[in-house]
Each structure stands twice: as C-alpha cells, then as structure tokens.
Amino acid sequence: MNHRSYLALAIPLTISTITTPLLGAVDTAVVGQLPDPAYLGGVAIGTVVFNTLYWLFGFLRVSTSGFAAQALGANDEREGKFAFIRPFILALVVGISFILLQGPIERVALSLMDPDADVRVFAAEYLGIRIWGIPFTLMNYVILGWLMGMAKIKVSLLLQMLMNLMNILLALVFVHVFAMGVSGVAIATLLSEVTAFFVGLFIIWNAFQHRLEMPSLKEMVHASSIKKMMSVNRDLFIRTLCLLTVFNIFTAKGASYGTEVLAANAVLIQIHYMMAYFFDGLANASSILVGKAVGSGDKHLYKKTLFLSLQWGVITSLLMAAGYYLFGDSLLTLFTRIPGVIERAHAYGFWLILFPITASVGIVFYGVFTGATEAAPVRNSMIYSLIAFFGTLYYFVPMYQNHGLWLAFTVFSLGRSVFLALYIPQLSKKIFPKRGVRLESDQMV
C-alpha cells in the first residue's frame, strides 16, 4: 500500500461521494436563481429535513460498507450476501414507515423551524413531494454501501453520476422551461432517486450472478451477527443524532435572524456539505482498506491505511481552505444572485475557510473506525463534541449572533477531530491485541 494505490481508490470514491450532496445543492442552486428569496428559504428548510431523515439512517450505507469489506477481506461469499440483505430489508421497512408518518414529520419540522409564512408554504410543497423518495434513497444507501465495501468503485461512481446528472437536467427543465418552481426541483429529485434505485438493484442482481435468493429465517437472525450489526448501527445512529442536532439548531437559530440570513447560511452549508463529502470519499477508502485488513488479519495494511488517511486528510483540508479563500465569491454566485443573500454569505464566509482544517481528521478517521466496525468511539467523540457545541452556543451567540453560531459550529468540528483521534491507540490494540499500532513517522510512505 502506497500513496498511488490509496489515491487510486480514494479519488473515484471521492467523486462518487461528492455527488451525494448535489441533490440538495442542485435544488438550492436552481431556485436560488429565482427572484424571491422565499423560494430559496423553502428549499433550504426542506433540504435540512431530508438531510435529517437521511443522515439518521446513513449508517445503512456506512455499516454495510464495513461489513462487506470485511467479508471481502475474509473471502467469505456467504457473509457478503448477508451484508447486503439484512440492511436492505431494514431500509425498506424504515422507508415505508416514514411515508406513513409524513403528516407528523411535516408538522414537527415546520414547527421547529418556524419560518416566515411564505417560506413555510414552499417548504411544505417541497416536503410533500420528496417524502415519497425516502424508501428508494435508503435502499440506495445499502446498494452503494455494498458496492463500495466490495471495492466495486467504478460501478458505484457511475450509479451516483447517473442520479445527479438526471437530477440536474430535470430540475433545469422543470423550473426554467415549465416554470414549476419548488415543485419542479422536488419532482426532479424524486424521479432521480427512483431511477437510481432500479438501476442499482439491477447491478446487484448481476453481481450475485442472478442468485440473490433469500436465505432461511434461521440464517437471517443469526444471533451474534445480528447483535454485531445492531450494535454498530446503534452507535452510528447516536452519532448521527448528535450531528443532526447541531445542524437543526444551526438552521433554526439562523432562521430567527431573518430570511436573508437563513438563505445565506443555507448556501454556505451546501458548500460545507461538498467539502465534507470530499473528506467522506477519503473516509470510504480508509473504511474499505481497514475492513479488508481486519477481515484478512493484515496488520501492515492497517498501519499503512492509518498514515495515508491522516496525510491525505491534512493535505486535502489545506487545499480546500485555500480554494475557498481564492474562489469563494465566485462559488457563491453559482447558488444565488440575490445581492442581499450574497452580501450576508460573504460576511460569514471566513468560517467556511476554517471548516476543512478543523474537521478533516475527524471525518477521515471516521472511516477507519467504521471499516473496523468499531463504532462506540465514534459515538462517544460526537457526544463530547456536542457538549462543546452547546457550551460555545450558550456563551457566544448572545454576543455575536450568527457569527457566534458559526463559532459554535467550528468548535464542534474541531472536537470531532480531536476526540476521535484520541481513540486510535485503543482501536489498534483491540483489533491487533498483541502489540497495537504506533504512529511513527518512519512508517509513512
């Protein structure tokens, strides 16, 4: 394992992963060209709601990838099949449940956000359409997680590119040709999610060589396997709850400063998502390599993955910070041309320069832990970071308002990196108990 082989895996995974936030980003950018900021505010509220729902169950992709990578490393075809079927059934059940609960979800979301009346109308319109895509998106998570874990990177990349290109084209046509407004971007996203699901299911069917028969109930509910899967998913669920608590408080508090601040924060958060998913691509590469190392008992591969993850996380963070410093103003105009929103976003853009520097290690090392299917440290580090967020929020928001809000978010991001990095020695000793792994500079490649 060296830089070239790590990047050969990480780059296509990064391209594949960066397409994920494009669904919300495209919706935001398309309506951001409309003259009324209420359109942008409505989609911003709707995007936060769906990010909340999807991130809560993002473990379906992450844990599936980890278990699939370990099955690949152990060359265990049977466990590879279970790594797909068990979470797929869970995704279907959860997705249907959300459709049945769409009324309460909309009421609670709009009550918590409490936007202006015109923003509320557009947010409800967006939510009512996109809610039907939840089962397909959650099952897509499992499909993509399994493909990534099995190192079928090109296929997963093509699948996500299909979904996002279709979303971009349909959104532009529905909004600018048929003048469908918020409904247009929501329908475009829904159709893209459904199409990606059926294409992905066809890919999985072929991957199993048309032998994706259901195992027996006894095999499905194997006690130790189910316990391990549920334990990992529980910890990742708690981790996501912490993350979403931060984002929802951030959005709700920003909304209290007016529609323009809400819209400016929405644009900056969309750019933040794109930065975060660049790191998530590195994390996916680390997850696959660590999963293979654990499955095959390859301590050398594990050590090399640790160092390469850290090195490229830091390098990428510096490149991103410099990129936003140089080209941030141009990037803002891709999302909106409303002068007041651009002015507000420019005023808070400094905090976005700090984000990649503070968050990179935490996001990339997240992949190391999920590849090892050891999620308790991830859970704990997020809880500690959330406490730091609340403390900063309490002391600085009353004085600095939206700047204080961004400061709290930056402290949270830094906490994710520091607290999780402290668990690396413990992880190394647990999966390779004889001597563990020391982070020595002479082992770098």
Side-chain angles (χ1 to χ4, degrees):
M1 172 59 62
N2 52 31
H3 286 287
R4 180 177 295 179
S5 55
Y6 181 81
L7 291 177
L9 182 62
I11 289 174
L13 277 170
T14 300
I15 296 172
S16 175
T17 306
I18 196 65
T19 62
T20 300
L22 284 180
L23 290 176
V26 167
D27 290 353
T28 302
V30 170
V31 298
Q33 308 307 313
L34 300 176
D36 189 344
Y39 289 108
L40 186 56
V43 171
I45 295 290
T47 299
V48 167
V49 171
F50 283 104
N51 283 341
T52 300
L53 296 178
Y54 291 152
W55 283 10
L56 276 174
F57 293 91
F59 63 77
L60 290 167
R61 181 185 64 79
V62 176
S63 64
T64 298
S65 181
F67 285 114
Q70 290 187 17
L72 178 64
N75 197 26
D76 191 333
E77 183 179 342
R78 178 176 174 274
E79 283 303 314
K81 182 187 298 183
F82 288 136
F84 173 75
I85 294 176
R86 286 176 179 140
F88 187 84
I89 293 173
L90 178 60
L92 177 61
V93 172
V94 171
I96 293 173
S97 300
F98 276 126
I99 287 180
L100 296 176
L101 294 171
Q102 60 181 293
I105 289 172
E106 178 182 318
R107 288 193 294 272
V108 170
L110 295 180
S111 176
L112 290 174
M113 299 294 182
D114 194 25
D116 296 339
D118 49 353
V119 173
R120 177 183 291 265
V121 170
F122 292 125
E125 183 180 343
Y126 186 81
L127 289 167
I129 295 170
R130 280 203 61 191
I131 194 76
W132 295 95
I134 288 183
F136 300 99
T137 298
L138 296 183
M139 289 185 288
N140 279 337
Y141 279 0
V142 177
I143 291 171
L144 289 170
W146 190 87
L147 290 173
M148 290 179 178
M150 288 294 175
K152 299 180 183 294
I153 309 305
K154 291 182 180 178
V155 176
S156 64
L157 172 59
L158 291 174
L159 182 61
Q160 294 203 75
M161 287 180 64
L162 167 68
M163 178 172 64
N164 284 284
L165 286 174
M166 183 176 177
N167 182 44
I168 292 170
L169 291 174
L170 290 179
L172 291 172
V173 170
F174 290 163
V175 173
H176 294 296
V177 177
F178 296 109
M180 295 173 65
V182 171
S183 294
V185 294
I187 292 172
T189 304
L190 172 62
L191 292 176
S192 303
E193 290 167 333
V194 173
T195 301
F197 165 73
F198 283 109
V199 173
L201 199 60
F202 178 75
I203 293 171
I204 294 290
W205 178 256
N206 284 324
F208 283 111
Q209 299 178 344
H210 309 288
R211 294 185 291 106
L212 191 57
E213 70 276 0
M214 285 294 294
S216 67
L217 181 61
K218 182 178 180 181
E219 289 179 308
M220 284 290 294
V221 297
H222 185 262
S224 61
S225 299
I226 291 292
K227 182 179 179 181
K228 177 67 173 177
M229 184 187 79
M230 296 307 294
S231 174
V232 171
N233 288 341
R234 177 203 64 208
D235 291 336
L236 293 179
F237 183 83
I238 294 171
R239 172 256 182 193
T240 307
L241 277 178
C242 294
L243 193 60
L244 290 173
T245 297
V246 170
F247 280 108
N248 288 339
I249 290 176
F250 184 94
T251 302
K253 191 66 178 175
S256 71
Y257 299 131
T259 299
E260 282 194 347
V261 172
L262 169 64
N265 282 351
V267 169
L268 292 174
I269 284 295
Q270 288 299 332
I271 298 172
H272 142 274
Y273 285 144
M274 298 181 74
M275 290 181 174
Y277 276 94
F278 265 102
F279 293 123
D280 211 32
L282 298 176
N284 285 334
S286 301
S287 179
I288 292 169
L289 293 171
V290 169
K292 290 177 67 176
V294 172
S296 61
D298 190 339
K299 184 176 180 180
H300 177 73
L301 175 60
Y302 170 75
K303 291 193 291 184
K304 292 295 185 183
T305 302
L306 272 185
F307 294 120
L308 291 169
S309 300
L310 178 61
Q311 289 174 333
W312 282 104
V314 172
I315 291 170
T316 304
S317 71
L318 295 176
L319 290 175
M320 280 189 188
Y324 189 80
Y325 176 79
L326 294 172
F327 307 110
D329 289 346
S330 299
L331 193 57
L332 292 176
T333 60
L334 295 177
F335 286 88
T336 182
R337 297 190 181 277
I338 302 172
V341 175
I342 292 178
E343 183 180 352
R344 296 277 190 173
H346 179 76
Y348 304 122
F350 168 78
W351 297 105
L352 216 56
I353 297 174
L354 294 179
F355 169 74
I357 297 172
T358 57
S360 59
V361 172
I363 299 176
V364 175
F365 274 1
Y366 169 61
V368 171
F369 284 87
T370 56
T373 58
E374 294 292 337
V378 175
R379 174 201 66 202
N380 294 342
S381 65
M382 290 297 285
I383 292 173
Y384 302 149
S385 301
L386 181 62
I387 293 171
F389 171 79
F390 279 128
T392 310
L393 199 73
Y394 178 79
Y395 283 105
F396 291 98
V397 168
M399 289 186 290
Y400 300 108
Q401 297 186 323
N402 203 50
H403 277 295
L405 196 57
W406 277 101
L407 173 61
F409 180 75
T410 303
V411 169
F412 171 78
S413 301
L414 179 62
R416 293 175 66 182
S417 294
V418 173
F419 294 130
L420 189 57
L422 293 175
Y423 278 103
I424 287 290
Q426 179 181 318
L427 174 71
S428 302
K429 291 177 182 178
K430 184 171 184 178
I431 60 179
F432 294 104
K434 289 186 178 180
R435 287 171 39 185
V437 177
R438 294 171 56 200
L439 299 179
E440 298 172 352
S441 59
D442 61 354
Q443 292 173 318
M444 293 185 181
V445 292

Short mmCIF file of all heavy atoms in Angstrom, two decimals, residues 186-238:
data_model
loop_
_atom_site.label_atom_id
_atom_site.label_comp_id
_atom_site.label_asym_id
_atom_site.label_seq_id
_atom_site.Cartn_x
_atom_site.Cartn_y
_atom_site.Cartn_z
N ALA A 186 -38.32 19.46 -6.66
CA ALA A 186 -38.65 18.30 -5.83
C ALA A 186 -38.96 17.07 -6.68
O ALA A 186 -38.51 15.95 -6.39
CB ALA A 186 -39.83 18.63 -4.92
N ILE A 187 -39.74 17.26 -7.75
CA ILE A 187 -40.09 16.14 -8.64
C ILE A 187 -38.84 15.63 -9.34
O ILE A 187 -38.65 14.41 -9.51
CB ILE A 187 -41.15 16.58 -9.66
CG1 ILE A 187 -42.48 16.85 -8.95
CG2 ILE A 187 -41.36 15.50 -10.72
CD1 ILE A 187 -43.54 17.47 -9.84
N ALA A 188 -37.96 16.52 -9.75
CA ALA A 188 -36.71 16.11 -10.40
C ALA A 188 -35.88 15.22 -9.49
O ALA A 188 -35.35 14.18 -9.91
CB ALA A 188 -35.91 17.34 -10.82
N THR A 189 -35.77 15.60 -8.23
CA THR A 189 -35.01 14.81 -7.27
C THR A 189 -35.66 13.45 -7.02
O THR A 189 -34.99 12.42 -6.97
CB THR A 189 -34.87 15.57 -5.94
OG1 THR A 189 -34.27 16.84 -6.20
CG2 THR A 189 -34.02 14.80 -4.95
N LEU A 190 -36.97 13.44 -6.88
CA LEU A 190 -37.70 12.18 -6.66
C LEU A 190 -37.49 11.21 -7.81
O LEU A 190 -37.18 10.02 -7.59
CB LEU A 190 -39.19 12.48 -6.47
CG LEU A 190 -40.13 11.27 -6.40
CD1 LEU A 190 -39.78 10.40 -5.22
CD2 LEU A 190 -41.59 11.73 -6.33
N LEU A 191 -37.67 11.68 -9.03
CA LEU A 191 -37.51 10.80 -10.19
C LEU A 191 -36.07 10.27 -10.28
O LEU A 191 -35.85 9.11 -10.67
CB LEU A 191 -37.87 11.55 -11.47
CG LEU A 191 -39.35 11.93 -11.64
CD1 LEU A 191 -39.54 12.74 -12.91
CD2 LEU A 191 -40.22 10.67 -11.69
N SER A 192 -35.11 11.09 -9.92
CA SER A 192 -33.71 10.67 -9.96
C SER A 192 -33.44 9.58 -8.92
O SER A 192 -32.72 8.60 -9.20
CB SER A 192 -32.79 11.86 -9.71
OG SER A 192 -33.03 12.88 -10.65
N GLU A 193 -34.00 9.73 -7.73
CA GLU A 193 -33.81 8.73 -6.67
C GLU A 193 -34.42 7.39 -7.06
O GLU A 193 -33.80 6.33 -6.85
CB GLU A 193 -34.44 9.24 -5.36
CG GLU A 193 -33.70 10.41 -4.73
CD GLU A 193 -34.49 11.10 -3.64
OE1 GLU A 193 -35.75 11.05 -3.68
OE2 GLU A 193 -33.86 11.70 -2.75
N VAL A 194 -35.61 7.42 -7.62
CA VAL A 194 -36.28 6.17 -8.01
C VAL A 194 -35.53 5.48 -9.14
O VAL A 194 -35.32 4.25 -9.11
CB VAL A 194 -37.74 6.47 -8.44
CG1 VAL A 194 -38.40 5.21 -9.00
CG2 VAL A 194 -38.55 6.99 -7.25
N THR A 195 -35.08 6.25 -10.12
CA THR A 195 -34.34 5.67 -11.24
C THR A 195 -33.04 5.02 -10.77
O THR A 195 -32.70 3.90 -11.18
CB THR A 195 -34.03 6.75 -12.29
OG1 THR A 195 -35.25 7.32 -12.77
CG2 THR A 195 -33.26 6.16 -13.47
N ALA A 196 -32.31 5.71 -9.89
CA ALA A 196 -31.05 5.18 -9.37
C ALA A 196 -31.28 3.87 -8.62
O ALA A 196 -30.45 2.95 -8.70
CB ALA A 196 -30.38 6.19 -8.47
N PHE A 197 -32.38 3.76 -7.91
CA PHE A 197 -32.67 2.54 -7.17
C PHE A 197 -32.82 1.34 -8.10
O PHE A 197 -32.21 0.28 -7.89
CB PHE A 197 -33.94 2.70 -6.32
CG PHE A 197 -34.48 1.39 -5.82
CD1 PHE A 197 -33.84 0.70 -4.80
CD2 PHE A 197 -35.61 0.82 -6.40
CE1 PHE A 197 -34.33 -0.51 -4.35
CE2 PHE A 197 -36.11 -0.40 -5.96
CZ PHE A 197 -35.46 -1.07 -4.92
N PHE A 198 -33.62 1.49 -9.13
CA PHE A 198 -33.87 0.35 -10.02
C PHE A 198 -32.62 -0.03 -10.81
O PHE A 198 -32.35 -1.22 -11.02
CB PHE A 198 -35.04 0.65 -10.95
CG PHE A 198 -36.38 0.54 -10.28
CD1 PHE A 198 -37.14 1.67 -10.00
CD2 PHE A 198 -36.88 -0.70 -9.90
CE1 PHE A 198 -38.37 1.57 -9.37
CE2 PHE A 198 -38.10 -0.81 -9.27
CZ PHE A 198 -38.86 0.32 -9.00
N VAL A 199 -31.84 0.96 -11.20
CA VAL A 199 -30.58 0.64 -11.88
C VAL A 199 -29.63 -0.07 -10.92
O VAL A 199 -28.98 -1.06 -11.27
CB VAL A 199 -29.93 1.92 -12.44
CG1 VAL A 199 -28.54 1.61 -13.01
CG2 VAL A 199 -30.81 2.54 -13.52
N GLY A 200 -29.55 0.43 -9.67
CA GLY A 200 -28.69 -0.19 -8.67
C GLY A 200 -29.10 -1.61 -8.34
O GLY A 200 -28.25 -2.50 -8.18
N LEU A 201 -30.41 -1.85 -8.26
CA LEU A 201 -30.89 -3.21 -7.98
C LEU A 201 -30.51 -4.16 -9.11
O LEU A 201 -30.14 -5.32 -8.86
CB LEU A 201 -32.41 -3.18 -7.78
CG LEU A 201 -33.02 -4.38 -7.05
CD1 LEU A 201 -32.45 -4.50 -5.65
CD2 LEU A 201 -34.54 -4.23 -6.98
N PHE A 202 -30.56 -3.68 -10.33
CA PHE A 202 -30.16 -4.50 -11.48
C PHE A 202 -28.67 -4.83 -11.40
O PHE A 202 -28.25 -5.97 -11.69
CB PHE A 202 -30.47 -3.75 -12.77
CG PHE A 202 -30.04 -4.48 -14.02
CD1 PHE A 202 -30.75 -5.57 -14.49
CD2 PHE A 202 -28.90 -4.07 -14.70
CE1 PHE A 202 -30.35 -6.24 -15.64
CE2 PHE A 202 -28.48 -4.73 -15.85
CZ PHE A 202 -29.22 -5.83 -16.32
N ILE A 203 -27.85 -3.87 -10.96
CA ILE A 203 -26.41 -4.10 -10.82
C ILE A 203 -26.14 -5.16 -9.75
O ILE A 203 -25.31 -6.06 -9.93
CB ILE A 203 -25.70 -2.77 -10.47
CG1 ILE A 203 -25.77 -1.81 -11.65
CG2 ILE A 203 -24.25 -3.03 -10.07
CD1 ILE A 203 -25.29 -0.41 -11.33
N ILE A 204 -26.85 -5.05 -8.62
CA ILE A 204 -26.67 -6.04 -7.54
C ILE A 204 -27.08 -7.43 -8.02
O ILE A 204 -26.40 -8.43 -7.74
CB ILE A 204 -27.50 -5.65 -6.30
CG1 ILE A 204 -26.97 -4.34 -5.69
CG2 ILE A 204 -27.52 -6.76 -5.27
CD1 ILE A 204 -25.62 -4.47 -5.03
N TRP A 205 -28.18 -7.51 -8.74
CA TRP A 205 -28.66 -8.79 -9.27
C TRP A 205 -27.58 -9.45 -10.14
O TRP A 205 -27.33 -10.64 -10.04
CB TRP A 205 -29.94 -8.56 -10.06
CG TRP A 205 -30.53 -9.77 -10.72
CD1 TRP A 205 -30.49 -10.10 -12.03
CD2 TRP A 205 -31.28 -10.82 -10.08
NE1 TRP A 205 -31.16 -11.28 -12.26
CE2 TRP A 205 -31.65 -11.74 -11.08
CE3 TRP A 205 -31.66 -11.05 -8.76
CZ2 TRP A 205 -32.38 -12.89 -10.80
CZ3 TRP A 205 -32.38 -12.20 -8.48
CH2 TRP A 205 -32.74 -13.10 -9.49
N ASN A 206 -26.94 -8.66 -10.98
CA ASN A 206 -25.87 -9.18 -11.82
C ASN A 206 -24.63 -9.53 -11.01
O ASN A 206 -23.92 -10.49 -11.34
CB ASN A 206 -25.52 -8.19 -12.92
CG ASN A 206 -26.54 -8.15 -14.03
OD1 ASN A 206 -27.10 -9.18 -14.39
ND2 ASN A 206 -26.80 -6.97 -14.57
N ALA A 207 -24.35 -8.75 -9.96
CA ALA A 207 -23.18 -9.02 -9.12
C ALA A 207 -23.28 -10.38 -8.44
O ALA A 207 -22.28 -11.07 -8.23
CB ALA A 207 -23.00 -7.92 -8.07
N PHE A 208 -24.51 -10.75 -8.08
CA PHE A 208 -24.73 -12.05 -7.46
C PHE A 208 -24.98 -13.14 -8.51
O PHE A 208 -25.38 -14.24 -8.16
CB PHE A 208 -25.91 -12.00 -6.49
CG PHE A 208 -25.59 -11.35 -5.17
CD1 PHE A 208 -26.14 -10.13 -4.83
CD2 PHE A 208 -24.72 -11.95 -4.28
CE1 PHE A 208 -25.85 -9.53 -3.61
CE2 PHE A 208 -24.42 -11.36 -3.06
CZ PHE A 208 -24.98 -10.15 -2.73
N GLN A 209 -24.76 -12.77 -9.78
CA GLN A 209 -24.92 -13.72 -10.89
C GLN A 209 -26.32 -14.35 -10.89
O GLN A 209 -26.48 -15.55 -11.06
CB GLN A 209 -23.83 -14.79 -10.84
CG GLN A 209 -22.43 -14.21 -10.96
CD GLN A 209 -21.35 -15.27 -10.86
OE1 GLN A 209 -21.58 -16.39 -10.42
NE2 GLN A 209 -20.15 -14.90 -11.27
N HIS A 210 -27.32 -13.47 -10.67
CA HIS A 210 -28.73 -13.88 -10.70
C HIS A 210 -29.06 -14.93 -9.64
O HIS A 210 -30.00 -15.71 -9.81
CB HIS A 210 -29.12 -14.39 -12.10
CG HIS A 210 -28.74 -13.46 -13.19
ND1 HIS A 210 -29.40 -12.27 -13.42
CD2 HIS A 210 -27.75 -13.51 -14.14
CE1 HIS A 210 -28.86 -11.65 -14.46
NE2 HIS A 210 -27.86 -12.36 -14.90
N ARG A 211 -28.29 -14.93 -8.53
CA ARG A 211 -28.53 -15.93 -7.48
C ARG A 211 -28.79 -15.23 -6.14
O ARG A 211 -28.30 -15.64 -5.11
CB ARG A 211 -27.35 -16.87 -7.34
CG ARG A 211 -27.13 -17.75 -8.55
CD ARG A 211 -26.01 -18.77 -8.34
NE ARG A 211 -24.70 -18.12 -8.28
CZ ARG A 211 -24.00 -17.94 -7.16
NH1 ARG A 211 -24.49 -18.35 -5.99
NH2 ARG A 211 -22.82 -17.36 -7.19
N LEU A 212 -29.57 -14.16 -6.17
CA LEU A 212 -29.85 -13.42 -4.94
C LEU A 212 -31.07 -14.00 -4.25
O LEU A 212 -32.05 -13.32 -3.98
CB LEU A 212 -30.06 -11.93 -5.25
CG LEU A 212 -30.09 -10.97 -4.05
CD1 LEU A 212 -28.81 -11.08 -3.24
CD2 LEU A 212 -30.29 -9.55 -4.52
N GLU A 213 -31.03 -15.32 -3.96
CA GLU A 213 -32.16 -15.94 -3.28
C GLU A 213 -32.13 -15.58 -1.80
O GLU A 213 -31.08 -15.35 -1.21
CB GLU A 213 -32.11 -17.46 -3.45
CG GLU A 213 -31.00 -18.17 -2.70
CD GLU A 213 -29.68 -18.16 -3.44
OE1 GLU A 213 -29.64 -17.59 -4.55
OE2 GLU A 213 -28.68 -18.69 -2.91
N MET A 214 -33.32 -15.53 -1.21
CA MET A 214 -33.43 -15.20 0.21
C MET A 214 -32.93 -16.37 1.06
O MET A 214 -33.32 -17.51 0.84
CB MET A 214 -34.88 -14.88 0.57
CG MET A 214 -35.35 -13.52 0.09
SD MET A 214 -34.47 -12.17 0.93
CE MET A 214 -35.05 -12.39 2.62
N PRO A 215 -32.07 -16.10 2.04
CA PRO A 215 -31.63 -17.17 2.94
C PRO A 215 -32.75 -17.56 3.89
O PRO A 215 -33.77 -16.87 3.98
CB PRO A 215 -30.46 -16.54 3.68
CG PRO A 215 -30.74 -15.07 3.64
CD PRO A 215 -31.44 -14.82 2.34
N SER A 216 -32.55 -18.63 4.62
CA SER A 216 -33.56 -19.07 5.58
C SER A 216 -33.66 -18.08 6.73
O SER A 216 -32.74 -17.30 7.00
CB SER A 216 -33.20 -20.46 6.13
OG SER A 216 -32.02 -20.37 6.91
N LEU A 217 -34.79 -18.11 7.43
CA LEU A 217 -35.00 -17.22 8.57
C LEU A 217 -33.95 -17.46 9.65
O LEU A 217 -33.47 -16.51 10.28
CB LEU A 217 -36.40 -17.43 9.13
CG LEU A 217 -36.79 -16.54 10.32
CD1 LEU A 217 -36.75 -15.07 9.92
CD2 LEU A 217 -38.18 -16.92 10.85
N LYS A 218 -33.57 -18.71 9.83
CA LYS A 218 -32.56 -19.04 10.85
C LYS A 218 -31.23 -18.38 10.54
O LYS A 218 -30.55 -17.85 11.43
CB LYS A 218 -32.40 -20.56 10.93
CG LYS A 218 -31.42 -21.01 12.01
CD LYS A 218 -31.33 -22.53 12.06
CE LYS A 218 -30.35 -22.97 13.14
NZ LYS A 218 -30.23 -24.46 13.21
N GLU A 219 -30.86 -18.39 9.25
CA GLU A 219 -29.62 -17.74 8.85
C GLU A 219 -29.71 -16.23 9.00
O GLU A 219 -28.76 -15.56 9.42
CB GLU A 219 -29.30 -18.08 7.39
CG GLU A 219 -28.88 -19.52 7.16
CD GLU A 219 -28.62 -19.80 5.70
OE1 GLU A 219 -29.50 -19.48 4.87
OE2 GLU A 219 -27.53 -20.30 5.38
N MET A 220 -30.86 -15.67 8.68
CA MET A 220 -31.04 -14.22 8.73
C MET A 220 -30.92 -13.69 10.16
O MET A 220 -30.43 -12.58 10.37
CB MET A 220 -32.40 -13.85 8.15
CG MET A 220 -32.46 -13.92 6.63
SD MET A 220 -31.48 -12.61 5.87
CE MET A 220 -32.40 -11.16 6.40
N VAL A 221 -31.40 -14.43 11.13
CA VAL A 221 -31.44 -13.93 12.51
C VAL A 221 -30.35 -14.56 13.36
O VAL A 221 -30.48 -14.69 14.57
CB VAL A 221 -32.83 -14.20 13.15
CG1 VAL A 221 -33.91 -13.43 12.42
CG2 VAL A 221 -33.16 -15.69 13.17
N HIS A 222 -29.24 -14.94 12.73
CA HIS A 222 -28.09 -15.48 13.45
C HIS A 222 -27.70 -14.50 14.56
O HIS A 222 -27.38 -13.33 14.31
CB HIS A 222 -26.93 -15.70 12.49
CG HIS A 222 -25.75 -16.37 13.13
ND1 HIS A 222 -24.66 -15.66 13.58
CD2 HIS A 222 -25.50 -17.67 13.40
CE1 HIS A 222 -23.77 -16.49 14.09
NE2 HIS A 222 -24.26 -17.72 13.99
N ALA A 223 -27.73 -14.98 15.81
CA ALA A 223 -27.68 -14.11 17.00
C ALA A 223 -26.46 -13.20 17.03
O ALA A 223 -26.58 -11.98 17.17
CB ALA A 223 -27.74 -14.97 18.26
N SER A 224 -25.25 -13.77 16.91
CA SER A 224 -24.05 -12.94 17.05
C SER A 224 -23.91 -11.93 15.92
O SER A 224 -23.49 -10.79 16.14
CB SER A 224 -22.81 -13.85 17.11
OG SER A 224 -22.69 -14.60 15.91
N SER A 225 -24.29 -12.32 14.70
CA SER A 225 -24.20 -11.41 13.55
C SER A 225 -25.18 -10.26 13.68
O SER A 225 -24.84 -9.10 13.43
CB SER A 225 -24.46 -12.18 12.25
OG SER A 225 -23.50 -13.19 12.06
N ILE A 226 -26.41 -10.58 14.08
CA ILE A 226 -27.42 -9.54 14.27
C ILE A 226 -27.02 -8.60 15.39
O ILE A 226 -27.15 -7.37 15.29
CB ILE A 226 -28.80 -10.18 14.56
CG1 ILE A 226 -29.34 -10.89 13.32
CG2 ILE A 226 -29.79 -9.11 15.04
CD1 ILE A 226 -29.70 -9.96 12.19
N LYS A 227 -26.49 -9.17 16.48
CA LYS A 227 -26.08 -8.35 17.61
C LYS A 227 -24.98 -7.38 17.21
O LYS A 227 -25.01 -6.19 17.58
CB LYS A 227 -25.59 -9.24 18.76
CG LYS A 227 -25.19 -8.47 20.01
CD LYS A 227 -24.75 -9.42 21.12
CE LYS A 227 -24.31 -8.63 22.35
NZ LYS A 227 -23.86 -9.53 23.45
N LYS A 228 -24.00 -7.86 16.43
CA LYS A 228 -22.91 -7.00 16.00
C LYS A 228 -23.44 -5.90 15.07
O LYS A 228 -23.07 -4.72 15.22
CB LYS A 228 -21.86 -7.84 15.25
CG LYS A 228 -20.70 -7.04 14.69
CD LYS A 228 -19.84 -6.43 15.77
CE LYS A 228 -18.60 -5.77 15.19
NZ LYS A 228 -17.78 -5.10 16.22
N MET A 229 -24.29 -6.27 14.12
CA MET A 229 -24.83 -5.29 13.19
C MET A 229 -25.63 -4.22 13.93
O MET A 229 -25.48 -3.02 13.68
CB MET A 229 -25.71 -5.96 12.14
CG MET A 229 -26.22 -5.00 11.07
SD MET A 229 -27.42 -5.72 9.92
CE MET A 229 -28.91 -5.69 10.93
N MET A 230 -26.48 -4.65 14.87
CA MET A 230 -27.33 -3.70 15.58
C MET A 230 -26.50 -2.81 16.51
O MET A 230 -26.81 -1.64 16.70
CB MET A 230 -28.41 -4.44 16.37
CG MET A 230 -29.41 -5.20 15.49
SD MET A 230 -30.17 -4.16 14.20
CE MET A 230 -31.12 -3.03 15.23
N SER A 231 -25.44 -3.38 17.09
CA SER A 231 -24.58 -2.59 17.96
C SER A 231 -23.89 -1.48 17.19
O SER A 231 -23.86 -0.31 17.62
CB SER A 231 -23.54 -3.50 18.62
OG SER A 231 -22.61 -2.74 19.37
N VAL A 232 -23.33 -1.83 16.04
CA VAL A 232 -22.67 -0.83 15.19
C VAL A 232 -23.68 0.21 14.72
O VAL A 232 -23.43 1.42 14.79
CB VAL A 232 -21.99 -1.51 13.98
CG1 VAL A 232 -21.49 -0.46 13.00
CG2 VAL A 232 -20.83 -2.38 14.45
N ASN A 233 -24.83 -0.25 14.25
CA ASN A 233 -25.85 0.68 13.74
C ASN A 233 -26.39 1.58 14.84
O ASN A 233 -26.67 2.76 14.60
CB ASN A 233 -26.98 -0.10 13.09
CG ASN A 233 -26.57 -0.71 11.76
OD1 ASN A 233 -25.59 -0.28 11.15
ND2 ASN A 233 -27.31 -1.70 11.30
N ARG A 234 -26.53 1.04 16.05
CA ARG A 234 -27.00 1.86 17.18
C ARG A 234 -26.03 3.00 17.46
O ARG A 234 -26.42 4.16 17.60
CB ARG A 234 -27.13 0.98 18.43
CG ARG A 234 -27.54 1.75 19.70
CD ARG A 234 -27.11 0.98 20.93
NE ARG A 234 -25.66 0.87 21.01
CZ ARG A 234 -25.02 -0.13 21.62
NH1 ARG A 234 -25.70 -1.13 22.19
NH2 ARG A 234 -23.69 -0.15 21.66
N ASP A 235 -24.73 2.69 17.52
CA ASP A 235 -23.74 3.71 17.82
C ASP A 235 -23.65 4.75 16.70
O ASP A 235 -23.51 5.95 16.96
CB ASP A 235 -22.37 3.06 18.04
CG ASP A 235 -22.32 2.23 19.31
OD1 ASP A 235 -23.12 2.51 20.22
OD2 ASP A 235 -21.49 1.31 19.39
N LEU A 236 -23.75 4.30 15.45
CA LEU A 236 -23.72 5.24 14.33
C LEU A 236 -24.99 6.09 14.30
O LEU A 236 -24.96 7.26 13.90
CB LEU A 236 -23.56 4.48 13.01
CG LEU A 236 -22.21 3.78 12.81
CD1 LEU A 236 -22.19 3.05 11.48
CD2 LEU A 236 -21.06 4.77 12.90
N PHE A 237 -26.11 5.51 14.74
CA PHE A 237 -27.37 6.26 14.82
C PHE A 237 -27.24 7.38 15.85
O PHE A 237 -27.64 8.52 15.59
CB PHE A 237 -28.51 5.30 15.20
CG PHE A 237 -29.86 5.95 15.25
CD1 PHE A 237 -30.60 6.12 14.10
CD2 PHE A 237 -30.40 6.38 16.45
CE1 PHE A 237 -31.85 6.72 14.14
CE2 PHE A 237 -31.65 6.96 16.51
CZ PHE A 237 -32.39 7.13 15.33
N ILE A 238 -26.66 7.07 17.00
CA ILE A 238 -26.46 8.09 18.04
C ILE A 238 -25.50 9.17 17.53
O ILE A 238 -25.72 10.37 17.76
CB ILE A 238 -25.91 7.45 19.34
CG1 ILE A 238 -26.97 6.51 19.94
CG2 ILE A 238 -25.51 8.51 20.35
CD1 ILE A 238 -26.47 5.67 21.09
#
